[in-house]
Amino acid sequence: MSTERRPQVVTPPGESPTPPPTRRTFIATTTVVGGAAVAGGLIAAPPALAAEGTVVPEGLPGSRLTLTVNGVRRTVTVDNRTSLLDLLREHLDLTGSKKGCNAGACGACTVLVDGRRVNSCLTLAVRLEGAEVTTIEGLAQGDQLHPLQQAFIDQDAFQCGFCTSGQIVSGVGCIQEGHTGSPEEIREWMSGNLCRCGCYVKIERAVEQAAGRK
């Protein structure tokens, strides 16, 4: 029968033999080393983890784009992957349109493109050459609020306010499309805009007021 042989540790003359590491010291050492590695990775994050920039990164495809936003003609150069929402918020400093789900499910980013409602988080900016875009900032005429903006105040149709800009822009589109014949029709055509505070009844009343039904 063969017997397993342990490797011999040769200790230089005059030095005490070093005991093998215990399980506890091994775990402590690897934890410290691993933590340092993670911290180093966070401190020196790769470019892919950096915040979305406002310029086209070197080597990536970009396009020059001209469109009209709230009546003002704008020309910008953007990364071809830039969404309309990021163009508005990051490049043009129009932060009224909110980034909610960033997946087209909540409607907080709703704007009008050539008079039609779109989820700006799902719309590529480079596809809008020559388009006319209207955001919440473009609805009022100077100090005169849009009728639906005033109706939201009159009907107390907001609480936290995060979804309000998208709700108002969507409501304007709903009125322009003629989908305000009944409360049920308004609810159907506004169903793409979510309100986490649950102000749907007041939002419906505000749209009715602005449409001249109340």
Side-chain angles (χ1 to χ4, degrees):
M1 177 181 296
S2 62
T3 304
E4 181 181 358
R5 300 184 61 185
R6 298 177 179 271
Q8 296 182 350
V9 179
V10 179
T11 304
E15 294 186 11
S16 301
T18 301
T22 64
R23 179 174 180 272
R24 178 173 297 177
T25 57
F26 174 78
I27 293 175
T29 302
T30 54
T31 300
V32 172
V33 174
V38 171
L42 291 176
I43 294 173
L49 296 180
E52 293 178 329
T54 58
V55 297
V56 180
E58 185 177 356
L60 292 179
S63 297
R64 188 174 178 83
L65 171 68
T66 299
L67 70 169
T68 301
V69 181
N70 297 331
V72 179
R73 189 175 177 85
R74 310 294 293 264
T75 299
V76 294
T77 300
V78 296
D79 184 334
N80 287 347
R81 302 167 299 175
T82 302
S83 68
L84 174 57
L85 178 60
D86 284 337
L87 171 64
L88 295 171
R89 292 181 58 85
E90 307 298 335
H91 293 258
L92 304 182
D93 199 29
L94 296 171
T95 56
S97 304
K98 304 304 182 184
K99 181 176 286 190
C101 64
N102 206 34
C106 72
C109 67
T110 303
V111 300
L112 301 177
V113 175
D114 295 331
R116 300 184 62 182
R117 295 179 282 176
V118 302
N119 290 322
S120 59
C121 71
L122 297 182
T123 305
L124 286 176
V126 293
R127 302 189 64 181
L128 300 180
E129 174 67 33
E132 293 191 9
V133 178
T134 302
T135 71
I136 187 68
E137 291 92 343
L139 293 181
Q141 300 296 322
D143 294 333
Q144 182 66 39
L145 294 178
H146 186 281
L148 186 53
Q149 291 176 306
Q150 185 61 55
F152 262 66
I153 296 174
D154 296 342
Q155 298 294 336
D156 191 23
F158 51 87
Q159 286 189 20
C160 78
F162 190 83
C163 76
T164 302
S165 58
Q167 296 277 4
I168 291 176
V169 174
S170 185
V172 170
C174 185
I175 294 170
Q176 293 176 351
E177 295 159 11
H179 298 304
T180 58
S182 66
E184 293 75 20
E185 185 177 18
I186 293 173
R187 287 196 293 267
E188 174 66 25
W189 288 90
M190 290 287 292
S191 61
N193 291 80
L194 303 183
C195 174
R196 293 170 176 84
C197 300
C199 291
Y200 295 112
V201 173
K202 295 180 179 181
I203 291 171
E204 173 207 304
R205 290 173 181 169
V207 174
E208 284 186 290
Q209 175 179 320
R213 296 190 64 252
K214 288 182 73 68

